[in-house]
């Protein structure tokens, strides 16, 4: 057993100063406020202990991508060093053969424990709101293709983003939900009514709210308002100061509450790298001043953010407890991870130790120190 003490700890969603927890193997055995019941094996008197971050939408990092079978471990390790202990690896729009190959590679990574699941962002998206996806490879959802993808994944797919206005979307939503997959509305040109219909059919996530969807308008509210107004919907936010203005991030968290907002990086291979040229699937990307855009356009192409950076940004505005919800608890719940996202007895021993500046000092995953403090 390992006892960890810290000057500040967010336990069971509450901030304690000081606080402690005890791990046994890969689980949390006990936790509490005040000094620990025995001498700590790891003491961080100036540190803050929070749950490991859960990133439900990330394409790569550290120079590698989840679309590259040889790069999966490197991307996951890069984000682990930034506190992400649970990763939903995201695939972009691809041809049918490439999609199946990518799903099979990531399903193997899920079995090995490298990543926790798969998020398909495409190919069943709107060409009008393609963002950094290749519109030539987008297509309407086809029952045979969906069945083939689900078979290839063997249960590893946790979430699929689709545009609900596409032909065949209703049947696709029903099929995915029947398979235990979370359906997210995104990269969509849907009307308010079409988004409401998808939510009524069981869609429970809004993919990177405001990005790659019609803007909110007082006569044409579009999908953003439909996603925001339903209590059963979790909305993703890329709170990097590029995808949405910090005031918008504050407003959304204030309106929906931190229990309905999941911060996501949407990071690409360029995260952690110098400016330069990269690819997102088949699409060439240029990164300048840390901002990724489709080559030759002003279109934002994912991010170069990490979850610790997003945590710092939100904690400064809404406090530690809300920052923990939006970076750990809420995304874990949104995609059905029931043993991560909180420092609570019985949960996996996934945690991040932050220094006085809320920068990563140490990371534990499944009871093992992966970044030493």
């Amino acid at each position: 057993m390992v006892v960890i003490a810290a000057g500040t700890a967010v336990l069971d969603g509450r901030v304690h100063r000081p606080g402690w927890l005890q791990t046994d193997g890969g689980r949390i055995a006990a936790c509490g406020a005040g000094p620990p019941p025995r001498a700590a094996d790891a003491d961080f008197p100036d540190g803050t202990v929070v749950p490991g971050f859960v990133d439900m939408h990330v394409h790569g990092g550290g120079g590698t991508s989840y679309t590259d079978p040889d790069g999966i471990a490197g991307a996951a390790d890069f984000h682990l060093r930034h506190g992400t202990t649970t990763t939903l690896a995201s695939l972009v729009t691809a041809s049918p053969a490439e999609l199946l190959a990518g799903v099979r590679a990531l399903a193997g990574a899920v079995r090995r424990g490298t990543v926790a699941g798969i998020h398909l962002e495409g190919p069943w998206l709107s060409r009008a709101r393609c963002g950094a996806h290749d519109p030539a490879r987008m297509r309407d959802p086809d029952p045979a293709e969906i069945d083939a993808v689900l078979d290839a994944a063997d249960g590893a797919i946790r979430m699929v983003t689709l545009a609900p206005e596409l032909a065949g979307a209703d049947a696709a939503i029903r099929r995915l939900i029947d398979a235990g997959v979370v359906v997210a509305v995104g990269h969509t040109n849907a009307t308010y009514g079409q988004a409401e219909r998808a939510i009524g059919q069981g869609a429970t996530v809004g993919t990177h709210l405001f990005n790659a969807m019609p803007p909110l308008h007082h006569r044409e509210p579009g999908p953003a308002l439909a996603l925001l107004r339903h209590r059963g919907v979790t909305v993703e936010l890329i709170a990097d100061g590029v995808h949405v203005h910090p005031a918008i991030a504050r407003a959304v968290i204030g309106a929906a509450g931190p229990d309905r907002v999941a911060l996501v990086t949407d990071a690409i291979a360029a995260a952690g790298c110098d400016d330069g040229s990269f690819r997102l699937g088949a699409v060439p990307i240029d990164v300048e001043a840390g901002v990724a855009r489709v080559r030759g356009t002003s279109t934002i192409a994912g991010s170069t953010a990490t979850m610790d950076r997003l945590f710092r940004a939100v904690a400064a505005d809404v406090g530690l407890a809300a920052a923990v919800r939006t970076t750990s608890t809420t995304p874990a719940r949104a995609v059905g991870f029931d043993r991560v996202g909180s420092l609570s007895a019985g949960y996996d021993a996934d945690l991040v130790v932050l220094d006085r500046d809320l920068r990563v000092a140490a990371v534990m995953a499944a009871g093992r120190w992966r970044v030493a403090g």
Side-chain angles (χ1 to χ4, degrees):
M1 292 190 178
V2 176
V3 173
I4 301 165
T8 302
V10 184
L11 310 172
D12 291 318
R14 298 180 180 179
V15 179
H16 299 287
R17 294 186 173 94
W20 61 274
L21 59 90
Q22 183 175 16
T23 69
D24 185 1
R27 298 286 185 89
I28 297 171
C31 57
R38 68 167 176 83
D41 299 291
D43 194 2
F44 303 94
D46 298 321
T48 298
V49 175
V50 300
F53 303 132
V54 178
D55 194 351
M56 59 189 278
H57 187 160
V58 52
H59 297 279
T64 60
S65 170
Y66 291 123
T67 60
D68 176 7
D70 296 326
I72 294 170
D77 184 67
F78 167 78
H79 284 289
L80 179 67
R81 295 196 302 272
H82 287 272
T84 298
T85 54
T86 301
T87 294
L88 206 60
S90 301
L91 293 176
V92 294
T93 295
S95 70
E98 290 169 333
L99 179 64
L100 286 173
V103 166
R104 291 190 182 104
L106 279 176
V110 173
R111 288 191 292 271
R112 294 189 296 273
T114 307
V115 297
I118 302 170
H119 163 217
L120 296 186
E121 189 185 23
W124 309 304
L125 309 176
S126 165
R127 291 181 178 85
R129 301 288 174 175
C130 62
H133 293 247
D134 182 357
R137 300 185 182 198
M138 289 179 173
R139 48 199 182 269
D140 292 341
D142 173 73
E145 182 175 36
I146 291 174
D147 284 344
V149 168
L150 291 172
D151 287 345
D154 192 24
I157 294 176
R158 287 276 182 164
M159 185 168 75
V160 170
T161 294
L162 57 75
E165 71 274 19
L166 297 180
D170 288 358
I173 291 171
R174 291 192 297 270
R175 176 68 181 97
L176 292 167
I177 290 173
D178 286 346
V181 175
V182 172
V183 173
V185 173
H187 283 275
T188 175
N189 211 31
T191 64
Y192 177 82
Q194 289 169 325
E196 285 266 300
R197 178 179 174 85
I199 294 166
Q201 291 176 321
T204 55
V205 171
T207 295
H208 44 50
L209 189 70
F210 300 122
N211 298 117
M213 62 180 64
L216 190 65
H217 188 277
H218 57 285
R219 285 190 294 272
E220 297 288 344
L225 184 62
L227 294 164
L228 277 170
R229 66 177 292 268
H230 281 273
R231 292 182 180 274
V233 173
T234 299
V235 293
E236 295 181 351
L237 275 183
I238 311 171
D240 61 351
V242 176
H243 285 78
V244 295
H245 192 282
I248 290 290
R250 285 194 298 272
V252 169
I253 295 172
D259 291 330
R260 288 189 51 217
V261 177
L263 300 191
V264 299
T265 62
D266 197 14
I268 64 172
C273 301
D274 293 335
D275 289 355
S277 298
F278 299 86
R279 297 189 76 82
L280 181 59
V283 178
I285 307 297
D286 288 326
V287 178
E288 295 184 12
V291 178
R293 299 185 188 277
V294 175
R295 181 168 298 161
T297 77
S298 61
T299 300
I300 301 171
S303 88
T304 59
T306 52
M307 287 297 287
D308 57 327
R309 172 181 156 192
L310 303 185
F311 182 94
R312 287 191 295 274
V314 171
D317 281 339
V318 298
L320 281 178
V324 163
R325 289 190 183 95
T326 58
T327 56
S328 299
T329 314
T330 300
R333 188 190 67 245
V335 293
F337 295 130
D338 56 7
R339 290 201 330 230
V340 299
S342 178
L343 298 181
S344 308
Y347 275 57
D348 289 353
D350 294 348
L351 61 89
V352 182
V353 181
L354 304 169
D355 65 16
R356 289 181 176 180
D357 298 321
L358 298 183
R359 297 185 180 277
V360 174
V363 179
M364 175 180 280
R368 293 175 49 223
W369 291 110
R370 301 294 297 273
V371 177

